[in-house]
């Protein structure tokens, strides 16, 4: 045990490692933005049509984190995932994302998800 720790137990009982999501969120992006469920997300800002900023509660250590996002629409009989998610202005305390159709038109959908892995 040379002092390099791979896993850290926090005071709240939660574990933290390179394999633990530092932040994740599922939110409804239509009409009034609402967070369905999340971890380490303070809020979501609505920047316009299908343009959001996810505000991280406890900042990441820096902007060198990995992020994955997806978006879809819950229809009456099908669940479509043919929307693209692009990221911009990635910072330690927030990340901006946009949802697009396959034709690159910004489009609001009701199932938006983001997961961030990195140091906190």
């Amino acid at each position: 045990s040379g002092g390099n720790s791979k896993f850290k137990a926090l005071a709240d009982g939660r574990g933290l490692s390179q394999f633990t999501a530092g932040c994740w969120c599922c939110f409804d992006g239509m009409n009034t933005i609402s967070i369905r469920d999340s971890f380490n997300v303070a809020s979501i800002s609505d920047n316009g049509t299908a343009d959001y900023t996810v505000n991280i509660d406890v900042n990441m250590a820096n902007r060198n984190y990995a992020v994955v996002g997806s978006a879809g629409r819950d229809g009456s009989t099908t669940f479509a995932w043919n929307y693209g998610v692009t990221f911009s202005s990635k910072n330690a305390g927030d990340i901006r994302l946009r949802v697009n159709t396959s034709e690159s038109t910004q489009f609001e959908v009701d199932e938006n998800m983001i997961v961030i892995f990195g140091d906190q």
Side-chain angles (χ1 to χ4, degrees):
S1 50
N4 292 334
S5 112
K6 302 281 184 198
F7 180 81
K8 181 178 179 183
L10 303 177
D12 64 2
R14 186 174 61 91
L16 185 62
S17 75
Q18 287 293 311
F19 310 104
T20 307
C23 172
W24 63 265
C25 185
C26 175
F27 68 96
D28 184 340
M30 297 181 72
N31 304 313
T32 302
I33 307 306
S34 62
I35 297 173
R36 291 188 167 149
D37 202 358
S38 68
F39 168 71
N40 197 26
V41 172
S43 63
I44 298 178
S45 303
D46 187 349
N47 303 315
T49 303
D51 184 352
Y52 316 101
T53 299
V54 175
N55 301 297
I56 300 169
D57 191 26
V58 177
N59 287 2
M60 303 303 290
N62 52 49
R63 64 181 308 275
N64 299 324
Y65 51 79
V67 61
V68 176
S70 63
R73 189 155 199 178
D74 189 4
S76 59
T77 57
T78 60
F79 198 77
W81 290 102
N82 57 344
Y83 301 94
V85 177
T86 57
F87 300 99
S88 63
S89 67
K90 187 172 130 183
N91 301 298
D94 62 67
I95 186 165
R96 190 168 179 171
L97 63 113
R98 292 181 180 91
V99 178
N100 305 296
T101 65
S102 57
E103 293 82 31
S104 299
T105 303
Q106 284 184 224
F107 191 78
E108 292 182 350
V109 295
D110 57 350
E111 290 282 339
N112 301 274
M113 288 149 269
I114 183 173
V115 179
I116 295 174
F117 288 91
D119 294 331
Q120 284 185 297

